[in-house]
Amino acid sequence: MRDIAVFSGSAHPELAAEVCAHLGVPLSPTRLSRFANDCLEVQLQANCRERDVFLIQPLVRPVQEHLVELLLMCDAARGASAGRITVVMPHYSYARSDKKDAPRISLGGRLVADLMVAAGTSRVLAMTLHAPQVHGFFSVPVDHLHALRELAAHFRQYDLSRTTVVSPDLGNAKEAAAFARMIGAQVAAGAKQRFADDRVTISSVIGDVAGRDVIVLDDEIAKGSTVLELLDRLRESGPRSIRIACTHGLFAEGALKRLTEQPDVLEIVCTNTVPVPVDDVEEYRFKLRVLSIAPALAEAVRRIHNGESVSALFDAPRGEEG
């Protein structure tokens, strides 16, 4: 592919290398250094002039460091006369800050979107944003992909004749319904109320789960408190089996250990939008499956570069891709 340059930040270089391998282009080098006063400096070590530049960086821990690094990469590409700058952001952590549900709180999702555009971003390629309204926080075009096809391909190895896909809450029910249609399953949802970032209650499950094979589907799993609460409600109805699936396997503060220790959870499936530590993959390999979204990202990058339709490729559950 001519006139394309792909750079990776330090958040997930393995994913960037895999995307480049599928594209058949080299991953251009980036130098990250730190001044004595702790300020970061980024240098893109390949020609960007009039080229189609793609910057791959999910916002994962330490989120603020990786965000500033991404902003500096955008600024460096703009200063180097890049023809177009596309941020490939498989995980947008600030998407959780998407509504003003308490007095005097910040809308981080919109602010960070504005910062990226101010730094020089021409376009964003994102994967499974936390809420559909986050798409509208950006004043530049957004290609919003999802990982449902990859997850569906994995689950089709099982007998799905008695399967119910369960969303932990009504907010994610649309995505769960789209996934259920893809695999020919029923759908159900939890009635969730959130009191704090890590404190939720689910009063009931709306839908048929008794005696059925359940796939709990969420967009991300951080501390796992929502999924653990949902498992308690599901057990009251007596499902035949339970599997857990998500796009972003953040697994913070021992969440993966707590979930794998649930004796009735047969499998935990996530994608590599965020790096899952190699030690965790090895330790929990008897239940954990990590699917790659690099082929999907690479094909989207190729289509963006060639001016082809991205929505024609990714049959999205919401009508928001373009």
Side-chain angles (χ1 to χ4, degrees):
M1 297 174 69
R2 296 179 58 194
D3 303 317
I4 185 172
V6 182
F7 298 89
S8 173
S10 59
H12 202 349
E14 299 83 6
L15 176 61
E18 196 179 340
V19 168
C20 285
H22 284 282
L23 283 171
V25 301
L27 178 59
S28 299
T30 306
R31 182 182 64 84
L32 177 67
S33 57
R34 197 177 291 268
F35 290 104
N37 66 356
D38 202 39
C39 290
L40 292 175
E41 181 183 67
V42 168
Q43 182 185 33
L44 304 179
Q45 297 185 304
N47 180 30
C48 296
R49 187 173 295 274
E50 299 304 323
R51 301 183 79 186
D52 203 0
V53 172
F54 291 85
L55 308 175
I56 302 177
Q57 179 89 321
L59 294 186
V60 293
R61 290 188 178 190
V63 173
Q64 282 57 245
E65 289 270 322
H66 288 141
L67 171 59
V68 173
E69 183 185 347
L70 175 59
L71 296 174
L72 293 173
M73 290 171 72
C74 291
D75 183 67
R78 179 174 59 180
S81 302
R84 179 173 62 178
I85 302 167
T86 300
V87 168
V88 181
M89 192 169 49
H91 179 56
Y92 183 36
S93 51
Y94 273 97
R96 292 192 68 147
S97 180
D98 64 337
K99 56 187 174 294
K100 196 162 182 182
D101 53 2
R104 298 172 297 282
I105 60 169
S106 58
L107 279 175
R110 189 187 63 193
L111 172 63
V112 172
D114 288 344
L115 287 173
M116 283 196 280
V117 175
T121 301
S122 313
R123 189 177 197 97
V124 173
L125 175 60
M127 175 76 72
T128 312
L129 293 170
H130 184 63
Q133 64 264 29
V134 175
H135 187 130
F137 288 174
F138 291 88
S139 57
V140 294
V142 177
D143 289 298
H144 183 195
L145 312 183
H146 63 84
L148 298 187
R149 287 164 39 127
E150 286 73 17
L151 292 170
H154 171 81
F155 283 104
R156 285 192 188 108
Q157 68 183 292
Y158 304 119
D159 177 7
L160 299 174
S161 58
R162 290 183 56 80
T163 297
T164 298
V165 177
V166 181
S167 169
D169 53 47
L170 297 175
N172 198 56
K174 220 174 196 181
E175 190 132 326
F179 183 64
R181 284 195 300 272
M182 292 175 80
I183 63 173
Q186 293 184 19
V187 66
K192 184 176 84 171
Q193 186 174 6
R194 182 177 291 278
F195 297 96
D197 184 50
D198 60 349
R199 192 164 66 86
V200 301
T201 62
I202 296 177
S203 57
S204 61
V205 175
I206 305 161
D208 183 16
V209 296
R212 298 184 65 82
D213 299 312
V214 164
I215 300 173
V216 174
L217 178 72
D218 209 351
D219 61 325
E220 67 177 59
I221 296 177
K223 291 184 179 180
S225 51
T226 296
V227 174
L228 290 170
E229 174 77 4
L230 178 61
L231 292 180
D232 287 342
R233 297 290 79 71
L234 288 171
R235 288 171 185 133
E236 293 170 2
S237 300
R240 187 167 72 171
S241 69
I242 301 174
R243 288 180 164 85
I244 298 170
C246 69
T247 300
H248 310 299
L250 301 170
F251 302 130
E253 299 180 22
L256 189 55
K257 183 175 187 293
R258 288 193 294 275
L259 291 173
T260 53
E261 285 175 348
Q262 304 300 308
D264 50 357
V265 172
L266 301 181
E267 186 178 44
I268 302 164
V269 184
C270 67
T271 75
N272 62 344
T273 53
V274 302
V276 180
V278 174
D279 291 347
D280 285 351
V281 175
E282 184 60 28
E283 183 176 354
Y284 302 112
R285 66 185 182 278
F286 61 101
K287 285 192 179 181
L288 179 65
R289 304 287 180 271
V290 182
L291 311 179
S292 179
I293 46 85
L297 287 177
E299 180 61 14
V301 166
R302 188 190 69 77
R303 285 174 175 255
I304 290 169
H305 177 65
N306 291 336
E308 300 173 11
S309 171
V310 175
S311 58
L313 172 67
F314 299 98
D315 175 39
R318 308 181 188 95
E320 64 198 31
E321 289 73 350

